[in-house]
Amino acid sequence: MEPVPDQFMEFHPIHGTNVRLDNSGTQATRVESFANGVCFSKHPLKPGEIFLIEIEDKELGWCGHLRVGLTARDPRGLDVVPEYSIPDLTDVGDSWVFAITRNHNKVIEDPAAEGQEAGDGGHRLGRVEAEGGVGNEGGGGNSKPKAFFTDSHLYIENIRIPRDKLVGRSRPGRFSHILDDLYKTNALPPTARRSRIGVLYVPKGRDLADMHIVINGEDMGASAKGIPAIQPLYAVVDVFAATKCVRIVQVEYGFSSLQTLCRKAIQKYIVHRMAIDWLELPEALKHYCKYE
């Protein structure tokens, strides 16, 4: 599929009562309690366009984490924004929202569900209990090793998304290179600070789509299948419980700039991000290569 034309992503001005947006409309903070943190994208998503957010802040003492998904409900048409995305929004219908958990929402098709109809809004697929059980032996599955620095795009069927912005990174510091490796291998909990979580839909046949969740550059598979794609689909982000603040990460789908190409060439030959400090490069380029 051709790259999606860039549009500046913002949160919708209609949101939960406990949410405060910054002046740019790209950062959402839950200011009190643990609920009423439901947010929407300002505009419907285009096919293959990812709505990507980074977890900026956490709040101890609450049980539960971020929830993301899609809705065919125009936020302007809601009488009141639901207190919870699950079950309040999903029970209304035409909404598909899932909690981001330690299991990463990675899914495979549940054979028991194959005979069921998609009905009025897709169906949930079964979780993968062990990655080794999906063709890792015998060449049947995708055994390609992860190569964040060398793979320029994440491919989801015929959709390609620039990988440059998909992986969370630590703030520069003494142990940054260790944390960066943990982000890249998805070893940290998916709801850790600086984790990046995105949602998109992939067209499937006539007027239908599958919803995919991407966590730190890894596609979790189709979280919901058979979503009606005739009406506009908005992203849903529920800043719930232990998740305190999130911000939108803008993804550029156009051709890579010369700076980006230089960064990719440099990263291909370094061990970790902080090793860039040892290179004889202009300081501005060093900062760019370290995503500062």
Side-chain angles (χ1 to χ4, degrees), residues 42 54 80-81 100 109 115 117 139 160 170 229 237 258 260 278:
K42 186 173 183 178
E54 179 177 289
V80 61
V81 176
I100 304 300
E109 190 150 353
E117 296 293 331
R160 63 185 196 130
S170 62
V237 176
L258 181 58
T260 299
W278 307 332

Side-chain angles (χ1 to χ4, degrees), residues 5-269:
D6 293 338
Q7 69 169 333
F8 187 75
M9 292 289 189
E10 300 173 72
F11 286 113
H12 204 287
I14 295 175
H15 48 70
T17 56
N18 284 337
V19 169
R20 297 294 180 270
L21 302 182
D22 70 347
N23 292 332
S24 69
T26 62
Q27 182 168 295
T29 303
R30 195 187 68 254
V31 294
E32 62 183 19
S33 184
F34 64 94
N36 284 303
V38 177
C39 303
F40 307 94
S41 59
K42 186 173 183 178
H43 305 289
L45 301 185
K46 301 181 179 70
E49 183 177 43
I50 189 169
F51 191 82
L52 182 66
I53 57 100
E54 179 177 289
I55 297 176
E56 284 284 298
D57 198 10
K58 305 291 292 296
E59 184 173 23
L60 299 178
W62 298 114
C63 181
H65 297 281
L66 184 74
R67 298 162 173 187
V68 300
L70 297 171
T71 183
R73 301 271 173 174
D74 188 332
R76 296 171 298 181
L78 295 174
D79 294 332
V80 61
V81 176
E83 184 176 7
Y84 305 99
S85 59
I86 305 172
D88 296 359
L89 182 62
T90 53
D91 282 353
V92 173
D94 294 329
S95 298
W96 306 268
V97 183
F98 299 104
I100 304 300
T101 68
R102 182 73 182 180
N103 291 328
H104 290 198
N105 282 317
K106 177 166 280 189
V107 293
I108 56 174
E109 190 150 353
D110 183 358
E114 283 197 5
Q116 298 178 1
E117 296 293 331
D120 60 354
H123 58 275
R124 179 73 165 129
L125 307 182
R127 293 185 185 278
V128 169
E129 296 299 331
E131 290 201 32
V134 191
N136 285 340
E137 297 180 7
N142 180 13
S143 59
K144 182 180 178 182
K146 293 180 183 178
F148 169 69
F149 281 156
T150 56
D151 290 349
S152 61
H153 289 78
L154 171 66
Y155 291 90
I156 303 177
E157 300 193 25
N158 64 334
I159 303 294
R160 63 185 196 130
I161 306 169
R163 196 182 286 273
D164 192 40
K165 298 288 185 72
L166 295 182
V167 176
R169 297 173 186 87
S170 62
R171 290 291 187 245
R174 186 175 180 182
F175 301 106
S176 294
H177 61 286
I178 299 174
L179 287 171
D180 287 348
D181 286 340
L182 294 177
Y183 282 117
K184 286 187 291 182
T185 57
N186 246 333
L188 289 175
T191 52
R193 283 186 179 89
R194 309 304 166 204
S195 281
R196 293 186 175 183
I197 299 165
V199 61
L200 70 152
Y201 68 93
V202 178
K204 298 288 289 186
R206 184 176 180 180
D207 299 331
L208 295 176
D210 292 351
M211 184 182 83
H212 286 248
I213 293 173
V214 176
I215 300 177
N216 285 327
E218 184 181 358
D219 173 28
M220 299 295 110
S223 296
K225 281 195 166 186
I227 294 176
I230 301 176
Q231 48 196 333
L233 293 172
Y234 294 81
V236 179
V237 176
D238 191 352
V239 188
F240 178 71
T243 302
K244 176 75 171 176
C245 177
V246 299
R247 71 175 179 88
I248 298 173
V249 179
Q250 307 295 333
V251 178
E252 300 172 354
Y253 293 86
F255 292 106
S256 298
S257 66
L258 181 58
Q259 276 186 317
T260 299
L261 294 174
C262 288
R263 178 166 62 191
K264 292 181 186 300
I266 292 168
Q267 289 173 334
K268 188 175 180 179
Y269 297 101

